[in-house]
Amino acid sequence: MAEAVKHEQTLPSHPEKATLEGKNKFLGFWFFLGGETVLFASLFGTYLGLRNGVADGPTSQDLFHLDLVFIMTMILLTSSLTSVFAMINMKKGNFKGLIIWMWATVFLGACFLGFEIYEFIVYVDYGLGFTTSAFASSFYTLVGTHGGHVLFGILWISTLLIRYRKAGITLTNAPKFYVASLYWHFIDVVWVFIFTVVYLMGV
Amino acid sequence: MSNAQAQKSVLWDWLTTVDHKKIGIMYLVAGGFFFALGGLEAILMRIQLMFPNFDFVTAQTFNELLTMHGTTMIFLAAMPLLFGFMNYIVPLQIGARDVAFPFLNSLGFWLFLFGGVLLNLSWFLGGAPDAGWTAYVPLSSEYSGTGIDYYVLGLQISGLGTLIAGINFLVTIINMRAPGMSMMRMPLFTWSSFVASALILFAFPALTVGLLLLMLERLFGATYFAVDVGGNVVIWQHLFWIFGHPEVYILILPAFGIFSEVLSTFSKKRLFGYSAMVFATLIIGFLGFMVWAHHMFTVGIGPVANAIFAVATMAIAVPTGIKIFNWLFTMWGGRIQFTTANLFAIAFIPSFVMGGVTGIMLATSAANYQFHDTYFVVAHFHYVIIGGVVFGLFSGAFYWWPRMFGYKLNETLGKWFFWLFLFGFHLTFFVQHFIGLMGMPRRVASYLPGQGIDELNFVSTMGAFLMSVAFILLVVNVIVSVKNKSEADPWDGRTLEWAIPTPTPEYNFAQTPLVRELDALWYEKTHGNGKIKAAEPLDDIHMPNGSILPIFMSLGLFLASFGLIYQVHPVTIIGLAITLGAMFIRSIKEDHGYHIHKEDIKKEEGVG
Ligand code: HEM
Ligand SMILES: [Cu+2]
């Protein structure tokens, strides 16, 4: 039961990988992200294959405005940075710093999601429904799947933050926070590709 | 902490178990059931094709049988049966007490089972899927009934389970090996399970996306495959085969692993060319991702693409050939014992080589225009899948049965089973090469008389009957052999799974073993006292607690699927809420397991 006890003073420098369970989680999660990469690659491939299939609907040139997407990108990149700060605090054993920076990450994630929903609403108003054209379907599927991942990340990290709000850093929760931040970076990287492939190549 | 498990009822114990051995057995039972079901579907098809213009089942039913046969055999029989062995045997072979993620392991099983049940419920709820196991669009997107919705969601759920299982095996094999069990001392079955798991990890997400798109297209009106609004039907084929070709290697590699173990054990020789075998497995795994378009030669992807994919496909024959020769050299000069397990392994070699040769023929892209979508293809893939995967499953079953169930299958009945099955198999599928070359297309519900294929089709059906008789003998064998209690090491084994008492204790190894060589047990038999050395003193053993949550997570998705299929979205939401709720509980509840005490272990092991 040793791993359940608080070790605030004596935590190893990598609390997330100090137990076998932690190591397993860490490695397993990397593999999971490998699978996620193929998942998004498939969606990107589909989008690239269909992005000119606009039928009578609006084209990407009609719709995309880089300023909004640029703000979204900045928000998401910043949220990655705050999660890095959280991890640095975790490794230093500063629980309060961990919690605060993680909440900041969640907050920025929620802002991003808000903008995305706004963006979709604007596009729908403009005549790009989900079923309008193959371009529309593949666009919403790719970007929406990413948005779904952001939403899941927000719920997941919030759950951890509430569950462990008073626990301090332990060998049990350190891997959980660590893995959640890995996930967050991954979503961020995917967004960078979306920004490039969908928006920069689409205006 | 006391062992609370022990007091619970047997049923509850199995429903909540996170023990890799019990999960392995559940995979075998469920996989065996689906195997029988898929076999029945095949027999019904063969009866329909026994005579020209025969009227045994309608064309629609034939299409449903055809689709469900392929889908069931690949996703619900072959893969789960392999997972059964992987679950039970791999941790034992690497000297581990458990897998890396016992909870996820159980979740993987239940997802597979609920997915499989969902898929099969379609028979009773408006008709089974009828667009072939490949479900090509637009046939599946625009011209099929609810059956395809069951296909999409059933496979999505069970595919998720497969993905989880794959990650679990990868991490188990990397992180949970006993001291001294370096990667290059791992038995070949563990190695091939490792590579197959990597293929699962990188192949299944493509299927996930394919199924997602098909679902959105069918249920929410998306238009990826609707050509009139800019869609493209070939995308489905790419996604399907980017998954589909690695999938056939996911099936055959673990079978290759089984043959390596069996041939070496029953030749009383170390596997010939161990490191070449490992590298060949890795190369096959890698090349397996480079060849998917050989299923699409006739689609019109162009001569350059066709040529590249043809050459890449043929390249796989090289590492495969290396393996074949290594197996032959393993037997060469060995003291070969013709047990049933070994008979299947030996018969595999020529059968699989025939499948490989027709594979190369099919890979010749120009010639493929002639072969494609004929019975020639059917003959090819049954030679590799039955002659390879199914022979491997039977070989593994006879080999590991004593370890898993504590008794030996009867060898006399086993040999009857082997010869009948071997003969039936070749009778069924050898003639299909010629049926195909004479021009009979695959996936047709009937054919006209007088084309020179009547007799051959009749012969093929007779072979299928023989295989069914053989299978019944296997079932009989499983039942009548129960009394043949087996000792712990009935085959004079070479690897760690034979070093522990029978029945296998729930903690596997009382003390973590110390591995000193490849074929760890054999090394101790020839260089030591025949007992594996321990890497640690006897101590309390930590065990994970069982959990009912995996069933709820799977049940939630199962319910949500009905909500989606019938567009009753409150049900969808309730289902998803059950799944997410169970995940939430899992996430906030810290469960640190329990300990088995040193004294109890001593009692059970009969020491001290
Ligand atoms: C030397 C190795 C192999 C080569 C060169 C090869 C080549 C091919 C080619 C070119 C096709 C496409 C035929 C067509 O539709 O026109 C094909 C189909 C198929 N192969 Fe293989 N193959 C090989 C090994 C295997 C193995 C090991 C398995 C399974 C364990 C397998 C399972 C299948 C299946 C299931 C299909 C039919 C898929 C469908 O259309 O439903 N093959 N193979
Ligand atoms: Cu293939």
Side-chain angles (χ1 to χ4, degrees), chain B residues 18 29 47 169 237 335 400 603:
Chain B
V18 292
V29 173
I47 294 177
F169 287 123
Q237 297 189 20
R335 267 186 291 130
W400 280 314
K603 232 180 282 160

Side-chain angles (χ1 to χ4, degrees), chain B residues 481-605:
Chain B
S481 304
V482 177
K483 291 196 203 74
N484 299 346
K485 286 282 164 269
S486 157
E487 67 265 40
D489 180 15
W491 312 118
D492 196 9
R494 312 174 71 83
T495 40
L496 279 180
E497 76 265 33
W498 304 110
I500 43 180
T502 281
T504 317
E506 66 170 316
Y507 44 78
N508 300 351
F509 298 89
Q511 291 161 284
T512 300
L514 179 69
V515 175
R516 303 203 289 169
E517 240 307 343
L518 182 66
D519 287 349
L521 181 58
W522 191 253
Y523 182 81
E524 300 297 342
K525 282 177 181 171
T526 51
H527 292 76
N529 62 358
K531 294 233 155 45
I532 295 284
K533 308 228 166 337
E536 55 169 21
L538 196 62
D539 204 349
D540 292 358
I541 293 176
H542 175 255
M543 301 294 287
N545 279 326
S547 170
I548 194 73
L549 289 177
I551 293 191
F552 277 96
M553 293 182 188
S554 315
L555 185 74
L557 293 180
F558 180 78
L559 279 182
S561 302
F562 282 105
L564 283 170
I565 293 171
Y566 296 105
Q567 304 275 316
V568 192
H569 288 302
V571 177
T572 316
I573 291 168
I574 293 173
L576 289 179
I578 293 176
T579 301
L580 287 173
M583 285 168 72
F584 181 76
I585 296 175
R586 168 72 187 166
S587 169
I588 63 169
K589 214 178 95 189
E590 279 185 13
D591 184 346
H592 295 287
Y594 65 98
H595 283 84
I596 302 179
H597 292 297
K598 195 153 63 176
E599 291 68 34
D600 298 331
I601 299 169
K602 276 189 192 156
K603 232 180 282 160
E604 196 161 333
E605 299 277 316

Side-chain angles (χ1 to χ4, degrees), chain B residues 62-81:
Chain B
F62 186 91
N63 288 351
E64 293 175 18
L65 288 170
L66 170 102
T67 305
M68 287 301 282
H69 164 72
T71 313
T72 302
M73 284 303 197
I74 300 264
F75 292 98
L76 308 179
M79 238 189 332
L81 287 168

Side-chain angles (χ1 to χ4, degrees), chain B residues 54-259:
Chain B
F54 203 37
D55 240 349
F56 179 67
V57 293
T58 62
Q60 174 60 25
T61 309
F62 186 91
N63 288 351
E64 293 175 18
L65 288 170
L66 170 102
T67 305
M68 287 301 282
H69 164 72
T71 313
T72 302
M73 284 303 197
I74 300 264
F75 292 98
L76 308 179
M79 238 189 332
L81 287 168
L82 289 168
F83 279 178
F85 292 128
M86 281 155 77
N87 252 301
Y88 202 106
I89 301 298
V90 166
L92 300 183
Q93 286 197 330
I94 60 174
R97 293 228 169 86
D98 211 326
V99 292
F101 305 111
F103 178 89
L104 289 182
N105 199 19
S106 133
L107 177 61
F109 169 76
W110 290 108
L111 284 172
F112 141 67
L113 188 63
F114 276 94
V117 169
L118 179 68
L119 184 58
N120 275 283
L121 283 180
S122 62
W123 281 115
F124 311 107
L125 299 167
D130 56 359
W133 83 286
T134 52
Y136 274 16
V137 292
L139 178 61
S140 59
S141 57
E142 289 176 32
Y143 304 99
S144 288
T146 49
I148 298 290
D149 299 327
Y150 283 92
Y151 168 95
V152 166
L153 288 155
L155 288 191
Q156 194 69 286
I157 294 175
S158 80
L160 192 62
T162 307
L163 191 65
I164 289 174
I167 293 180
N168 184 26
F169 287 123
L170 284 171
V171 179
T172 302
I173 293 171
I174 292 180
N175 275 357
M176 309 286 280
R177 282 169 289 129
M181 177 59 82
S182 62
M183 291 300 268
M184 289 308 275
R185 282 183 188 165
M186 292 192 322
L188 243 280
F189 179 64
T190 299
W191 253 116
S192 56
S193 300
F194 181 73
V195 178
S197 301
L199 295 190
I200 288 175
L201 175 62
F202 294 114
F204 264 75
L207 178 70
T208 305
V209 170
L211 294 173
L212 175 75
L213 300 189
L214 187 51
M215 180 191 86
L216 293 173
E217 178 113 353
R218 288 181 54 87
L219 299 174
F220 296 95
T223 52
Y224 324 97
F225 310 126
V227 179
D228 48 341
V229 281
N232 179 338
V233 290
V234 182
I235 285 178
W236 166 265
Q237 297 189 20
H238 279 296
L239 289 173
F240 188 87
W241 289 116
I242 286 172
F243 145 79
H245 187 83
E247 168 66 17
V248 305
Y249 284 99
I250 292 165
L251 295 175
I252 197 65
L253 288 179
F256 282 176
I258 295 174
F259 295 127

Side-chain angles (χ1 to χ4, degrees), chain A residues 8 86 88-99 169:
Chain A
E8 221 134 352
I88 293 174
N89 277 294
M90 185 179 89
K91 283 179 193 169
K92 282 200 206 129
N94 179 358
F95 181 66
K96 218 165 159 210
L98 166 69
I99 295 286
I169 301 168

